[in-house]
Amino acid sequence: MNSKKQFILWLFWYRKSVVRRSFKVTSSFKMFVKLFRKCAGSCSFIGDNIKQVFRNYSAESHDGAGLIYKEYGDPMKVLKKVDHVLSKSTQSHPMEGRVIVKMLAAPINPADINMIQGTYPVKPSLPAVGGNEGVGEVLAVGDDVTSFKEGDWVLPSSPGFGTWRTHMMCKPSQLKLVANDIPLISAATLAVNPCSAYRMLKDFEHVVPGDVIIQNGSNSAVGQAVIQIASAMKFKTINVIRDRDQPDMDALKKHLKSLGATKVITEDFVRKPEMKDLVKSLGKKPKLALNCVGGKSATELARQLENNGTMVTYGGMSKQPVVVPTGSFIFKNIKLRGFWMTRWNQENFKNPESQDMLDELCELVRQCKLHPPFCNLSHIDNFQDAIATAMKPQTNRKELLIMDEKYLDWRYE
Amino acid sequence: MNSKKQFILWLFWYRKSVVRRSFKVTSSFKMFVKLFRKCAGSCSFIGDNIKQVFRNYSAESHDGAGLIYKEYGDPMKVLKKVDHVLSKSTQSHPMEGRVIVKMLAAPINPADINMIQGTYPVKPSLPAVGGNEGVGEVLAVGDDVTSFKEGDWVLPSSPGFGTWRTHMMCKPSQLKLVANDIPLISAATLAVNPCSAYRMLKDFEHVVPGDVIIQNGSNSAVGQAVIQIASAMKFKTINVIRDRDQPDMDALKKHLKSLGATKVITEDFVRKPEMKDLVKSLGKKPKLALNCVGGKSATELARQLENNGTMVTYGGMSKQPVVVPTGSFIFKNIKLRGFWMTRWNQENFKNPESQDMLDELCELVRQCKLHPPFCNLSHIDNFQDAIATAMKPQTNRKELLIMDEKYLDWRYE
């Protein structure tokens, strides 16, 4: 245990910057990772009765403890933890062509909640394991597996993986490699929000340095990733946020600007004549708009676009539809598109661009240009509190399930 | 004059089909065209004071009679006819690099009205000549002009041409060649509505024979062109129309089906559960939706699209914006685009695709697969009655200005 404590002490130093939340990774990290991993594998439980559950669920998996649901409904009621002892021999000697993964951390995203409620467009066959995102560590690989090795960090390659569990056995094709020299929280939250932001900035308009992007819901996890990635790519961003009390507003503006936001404005401001001057001051009208709100907010975003610009909708927080005047389509030639990371992953499963994206994002993390979101860390045993918090409206922090107590020491404020 | 009368008698025969409005062009047409053209040139008037007007207006033009407006406003008040005698020598000896065109016929489109009212996004400098579409005949060409010859039929190559006049002198680049063996009315109304329909069917989705297209406002001039061109291309069409009294409804359904419509349904029907069966009966969900209505009608069109489908908005008859739920963008990946023929022409001015499109549409006209819309023909002197009729809401006929009395004999019912 001494080695583990030492590891934790050395792992990160708290970066007392304006952001107050990023990690800098020391060169000592790699030295300790190897040592640290050797301690893993002691929390592997799963019941015989759950084997079939995991097998039914997308990843061909077995052995581990997991949060499962046998019916769709309120996650507070239908989600149960089931344990089983994973035999040491299975851990260290997986089947041919299979990989044993020990999950390290997995966030609770809104889509995970909707999936359990049965309101999400992807409905896993029941019973199912909760969670779609998270980072795991390869414990062992079958003799013929060459794409992964012990100690690698991995992410699920497709949705419906069931990440809220401690262990699984799966095929190499179900995994993507992620760097293991970045903070655990960054790795655990990289596949959904930063990847969504990255793709939306890359795939819809040919945005070049100096170009302008406008987005609403800029304080969301995707919104913050957009600000950071856009800033790293030298794009200017106009970031629209909901109105709030002045002290909160000042703090939020300061925070988003510290991430790289060019301008931070309220929904009301966008409708004012002064908005014209703000856009003028940037030298260009926005080429790309990213909408996760809908309703009037989306209408205003579309109105700000330059001719031939694109608005990408990836969320609908206001629960209002997207409303755009016909003239914007006809005379301004604006385009409306949608983005869903799940679909992109399904369609680009074997596309090398998928791994390139992860590598590029990891590099931004290493350069401290992409910080993970604020997170509350909870041990998987305390999942009910975490789920309850995640279901509160407009929470500013992401709930992260930690599969091993020792990782809880990485908590940061 | 005998030759002209003979020409008119031989030119078309009235096609007593269900459509009751198309022309078949005999092989004798070409024989008489040459003779007929020799009679042209006797109605050339324009005032000296209007020369500058025409020069200011997009086409570098002079000499002729034209309908001009010196201020934006009610076309019934601001539009005036100005005459001037065009000298025979100018007619037959144009400047080097210039073409003398005698306009034959020009429709009154809604965009022409809006342009005079000053509400259209394209605002010509004043004073200006009305009209953006129409067919003319080349009377003479400058010695160094090789792309056109006497007797050719031509269309304006870009908007703002000012087609409501009898003569003009312009550059070859301002003209596009159109076949002169098709009915005059087809040629005069080809550049806006059929070209819009053609482009929307070609440019947004890869539609192949057997694929399904859904459109609203199907009785509009573009809507009818969509039905015919889609039918010629072996695409299936679901055509949505407004509800109306039963006898009118039956007649309209019969008419649209005679043009090649696969299904004709009302706005109400689209919202009914039976709509699902109708789509099922076609074997595929629509890949492309064409919207000229907006509001609820557009929402329903978008709802019918298959995953990854596109809705193209080219009009907004309901004066309501386009409203689409966020989920359609995110989970169905539908795309919303706009189309404006004016922009296409501006951007594809030198694109050979522009001439290919005209040639292909002319071939459809020759094959009687693309009929001109129902038209009321008026001599340009009676433009006020024609404009008044064109401004009535939901008129089913297009008003066509005829520049020479003799062409009025081509009227058909």
Side-chain angles (χ1 to χ4, degrees):
Chain A
M1 282 303 285
N2 262 353
S3 59
K4 273 198 282 179
K5 274 184 186 162
Q6 229 178 323
F7 169 75
I8 291 159
L9 286 171
W10 277 83
L11 187 61
F12 303 118
W13 72 79
Y14 176 49
R15 186 167 165 252
K16 293 190 188 298
S17 67
V18 181
V19 181
R20 293 187 58 246
R21 65 198 183 80
S22 73
F23 297 104
K24 279 193 181 169
V25 181
T26 74
S27 59
S28 313
F29 183 100
K30 285 181 185 175
M31 281 171 54
F32 286 95
V33 160
K34 205 82 190 170
L35 196 62
F36 186 58
R37 278 173 190 146
K38 295 205 171 153
C39 313
S42 59
C43 61
S44 313
F45 314 99
I46 193 158
D48 267 321
N49 58 338
I50 200 68
K51 277 191 182 176
Q52 190 56 42
V53 172
F54 286 175
R55 207 162 284 131
N56 282 345
Y57 199 63
S58 67
E60 181 209 326
S61 53
H62 66 184
D63 296 332
L67 307 183
I68 71 147
Y69 52 108
K70 294 180 178 175
E71 58 183 325
Y72 298 119
D74 178 0
M76 297 301 290
K77 292 178 184 159
V78 299
L79 204 63
K80 310 283 177 200
K81 182 159 182 270
V82 183
D83 298 330
H84 173 70
V85 178
L86 175 72
S87 73
K88 289 282 175 193
S89 68
T90 307
Q91 266 190 49
S92 51
H93 297 97
M95 286 163 60
E96 225 179 83
R98 296 293 187 271
V99 182
I100 295 284
V101 175
K102 168 180 159 64
M103 288 304 296
L104 304 177
I108 301 171
N109 288 319
D112 303 328
I113 301 290
N114 296 151
M115 207 180 257
I116 297 168
Q117 288 165 332
T119 58
Y120 202 64
V122 174
K123 286 193 179 185
S125 57
L126 297 178
V129 182
N132 291 277
E133 189 184 21
V135 63
E137 180 191 327
V138 173
L139 284 189
V141 298
D143 286 340
D144 53 347
V145 174
T146 55
S147 44
F148 298 99
K149 62 180 187 305
E150 191 189 332
D152 280 345
W153 277 12
V154 288
L155 308 181
S157 64
S158 54
F161 195 77
T163 52
W164 298 346
R165 50 178 154 181
T166 60
H167 292 79
M168 71 190 73
M169 183 164 76
C170 54
K171 294 177 191 169
S173 62
Q174 291 176 293
L175 302 170
K176 284 189 292 194
L177 193 69
V178 68
N180 57 13
D181 62 351
I182 62 169
L184 181 78
I185 300 179
S186 290
T189 58
L190 202 66
V192 176
N193 296 329
C195 285
S196 294
Y198 179 96
R199 293 255 66 89
M200 290 194 289
L201 290 172
K202 282 253 183 181
D203 294 350
F204 293 91
E205 284 290 340
H206 180 61
V207 189
V208 297
D211 279 350
V212 182
I213 291 147
I214 190 167
Q215 67 167 340
N216 56 21
S218 308
N219 190 33
S220 68
V222 175
Q224 294 196 28
V226 164
I227 291 171
Q228 296 174 87
I229 300 169
S231 173
M233 290 174 170
K234 311 246 181 276
F235 307 155
K236 295 173 186 166
T237 51
I238 303 174
N239 301 280
V240 185
I241 52 174
R242 274 175 302 112
D243 207 2
R244 58 197 78 205
D245 294 339
Q246 205 53 50
D248 286 352
M249 178 64 80
D250 292 343
L252 181 55
K253 282 190 175 183
K254 195 174 170 189
H255 170 58
L256 297 183
K257 286 199 171 182
S258 78
L259 295 181
T262 316
K263 301 281 179 189
V264 183
I265 54 176
T266 62
E267 295 280 2
D268 285 345
F269 185 89
V270 188
R271 295 182 191 99
K272 288 182 180 168
E274 293 89 318
M275 181 65 187
K276 218 171 178 173
D277 299 328
L278 182 140
V279 173
K280 215 171 180 178
S281 74
L282 297 178
K284 285 179 178 181
K285 294 184 91 175
K287 186 182 262 184
L288 180 67
L290 305 179
N291 163 47
C292 66
V293 178
K296 281 181 189 171
S297 177
T299 309
E300 290 302 326
L301 241 55
R303 201 190 301 278
Q304 299 302 328
L305 278 175
E306 70 171 13
N307 286 4
N308 309 314
T310 298
M311 180 164 80
V312 183
T313 292
Y314 68 96
M317 287 188 209
S318 71
K319 298 195 191 301
Q320 297 295 314
V322 174
V323 180
V324 172
T326 53
S328 298
F329 291 108
I330 303 170
F331 305 122
K332 286 187 67 185
N333 197 29
I334 72 156
K335 292 157 270 180
L336 261 52
R337 303 283 302 272
F339 181 77
W340 189 26
M341 198 63 222
T342 298
R343 186 181 53 246
W344 193 91
N345 282 327
Q346 281 167 342
E347 290 173 357
N348 293 277
F349 180 64
K350 292 182 177 176
N351 187 345
E353 173 71 9
S354 174
Q355 192 62 53
D356 294 349
M357 169 173 64
L358 280 184
D359 295 345
E360 206 173 318
L361 290 174
C362 287
E363 186 53 33
L364 291 183
V365 173
R366 276 185 213 102
Q367 294 172 2
C368 291
K369 291 181 177 170
L370 178 62
H371 308 288
F374 291 109
C375 285
N376 294 325
L377 277 57
S378 308
H379 189 269
I380 192 167
D381 285 348
N382 304 325
F383 72 94
Q384 283 209 313
D385 290 348
I387 297 268
T389 310
M391 288 176 72
K392 284 181 188 159
Q394 292 163 356
T395 170
N396 284 329
R397 300 177 75 92
K398 198 175 273 294
E399 298 302 309
L400 197 69
L401 295 176
I402 298 292
M403 311 317 175
D404 193 332
E405 273 177 7
K406 62 187 167 241
Y407 289 91
L408 290 172
D409 293 339
W410 295 6
R411 194 186 309 266
Y412 63 100
E413 286 296 334
Chain B
M1 284 302 286
N2 263 352
S3 60
K4 276 199 282 179
K5 276 185 183 161
Q6 230 177 325
F7 169 73
I8 291 160
L9 287 170
W10 276 84
L11 187 61
F12 303 118
W13 72 81
Y14 175 49
R15 186 165 166 257
K16 293 188 186 300
S17 68
V18 182
V19 182
R20 293 184 60 243
R21 65 198 183 82
S22 74
F23 296 104
K24 278 193 181 171
V25 181
T26 73
S27 58
S28 314
F29 183 99
K30 286 181 183 173
M31 280 171 55
F32 287 94
V33 161
K34 202 85 188 167
L35 196 62
F36 185 58
R37 278 173 190 147
K38 295 206 171 151
C39 313
S42 58
C43 60
S44 312
F45 314 99
I46 193 160
D48 267 322
N49 60 338
I50 200 68
K51 275 191 182 174
Q52 191 54 41
V53 173
F54 286 176
R55 208 162 284 131
N56 283 345
Y57 200 62
S58 68
E60 181 211 327
S61 53
H62 66 184
D63 297 331
L67 307 183
I68 71 145
Y69 53 108
K70 294 181 179 174
E71 58 183 326
Y72 297 119
D74 178 1
M76 297 301 290
K77 291 178 185 159
V78 299
L79 205 62
K80 309 285 179 198
K81 183 160 182 269
V82 184
D83 297 331
H84 171 71
V85 178
L86 174 73
S87 74
K88 288 282 175 193
S89 69
T90 307
Q91 264 191 52
S92 51
H93 297 96
M95 286 161 61
E96 228 180 82
R98 295 294 186 271
V99 182
I100 294 284
V101 175
K102 170 183 159 64
M103 288 304 296
L104 303 178
I108 301 170
N109 288 320
D112 304 326
I113 302 290
N114 296 151
M115 208 180 256
I116 298 169
Q117 289 166 332
T119 57
Y120 202 65
V122 174
K123 286 193 179 186
S125 57
L126 297 178
V129 182
N132 291 278
E133 188 183 21
V135 63
E137 180 190 325
V138 173
L139 284 190
V141 298
D143 285 341
D144 53 345
V145 174
T146 55
S147 45
F148 297 99
K149 62 180 189 304
E150 190 190 333
D152 280 346
W153 277 11
V154 288
L155 308 181
S157 64
S158 55
F161 195 77
T163 53
W164 298 347
R165 50 178 156 182
T166 61
H167 291 78
M168 70 190 75
M169 183 162 79
C170 54
K171 294 177 190 168
S173 61
Q174 291 176 293
L175 302 169
K176 285 189 291 193
L177 192 69
V178 67
N180 58 11
D181 62 349
I182 62 169
L184 180 77
I185 300 179
S186 289
T189 59
L190 203 65
V192 176
N193 298 328
C195 284
S196 294
Y198 179 95
R199 293 255 65 90
M200 291 194 289
L201 291 171
K202 283 250 182 182
D203 293 350
F204 294 91
E205 284 290 340
H206 181 61
V207 189
V208 297
D211 278 350
V212 181
I213 291 147
I214 189 166
Q215 66 167 341
N216 57 20
S218 308
N219 190 33
S220 68
V222 174
Q224 294 195 27
V226 164
I227 291 171
Q228 295 174 86
I229 299 169
S231 173
M233 291 174 170
K234 313 248 181 274
F235 307 155
K236 295 173 187 168
T237 52
I238 303 174
N239 299 280
V240 185
I241 52 174
R242 276 175 300 113
D243 207 4
R244 56 197 79 206
D245 294 339
Q246 205 54 51
D248 285 352
M249 179 63 82
D250 292 344
L252 181 56
K253 283 192 172 181
K254 197 174 169 188
H255 170 57
L256 297 182
K257 288 201 168 179
S258 77
L259 295 180
T262 315
K263 300 282 178 188
V264 183
I265 55 174
T266 63
E267 296 278 2
D268 285 345
F269 185 89
V270 187
R271 295 183 192 101
K272 288 183 180 168
E274 293 90 318
M275 181 65 188
K276 218 170 178 175
D277 299 329
L278 181 141
V279 173
K280 213 170 183 179
S281 74
L282 298 177
K284 285 179 178 181
K285 293 185 92 175
K287 184 182 264 186
L288 181 66
L290 306 179
N291 162 46
C292 65
V293 178
K296 281 182 189 170
S297 177
T299 309
E300 290 303 325
L301 240 56
R303 200 191 302 276
Q304 298 303 326
L305 278 174
E306 70 172 12
N307 286 4
N308 308 313
T310 297
M311 180 163 79
V312 183
T313 291
Y314 67 97
M317 287 188 209
S318 72
K319 299 194 191 300
Q320 297 295 314
V322 173
V323 181
V324 171
T326 53
S328 298
F329 291 108
I330 304 170
F331 304 122
K332 286 185 67 185
N333 196 29
I334 71 156
K335 291 158 274 183
L336 260 53
R337 302 285 302 272
F339 181 78
W340 189 25
M341 198 63 223
T342 298
R343 187 181 53 248
W344 194 91
N345 282 326
Q346 281 167 342
E347 290 173 358
N348 294 276
F349 180 62
K350 292 182 177 177
N351 186 344
E353 173 72 7
S354 174
Q355 193 62 54
D356 293 349
M357 168 175 63
L358 279 184
D359 295 346
E360 206 172 318
L361 289 173
C362 286
E363 187 53 33
L364 291 183
V365 173
R366 279 186 209 101
Q367 293 172 4
C368 292
K369 289 180 177 171
L370 178 61
H371 308 288
F374 291 110
C375 285
N376 294 326
L377 276 57
S378 307
H379 189 269
I380 191 168
D381 286 346
N382 303 324
F383 72 93
Q384 284 208 310
D385 290 347
I387 297 269
T389 311
M391 288 175 71
K392 285 180 187 158
Q394 291 162 0
T395 170
N396 283 328
R397 301 176 75 92
K398 198 176 273 293
E399 297 302 308
L400 197 69
L401 295 176
I402 298 292
M403 311 317 175
D404 191 334
E405 273 178 7
K406 63 187 169 243
Y407 288 91
L408 291 170
D409 292 340
W410 295 5
R411 195 186 307 269
Y412 62 99
E413 285 295 335

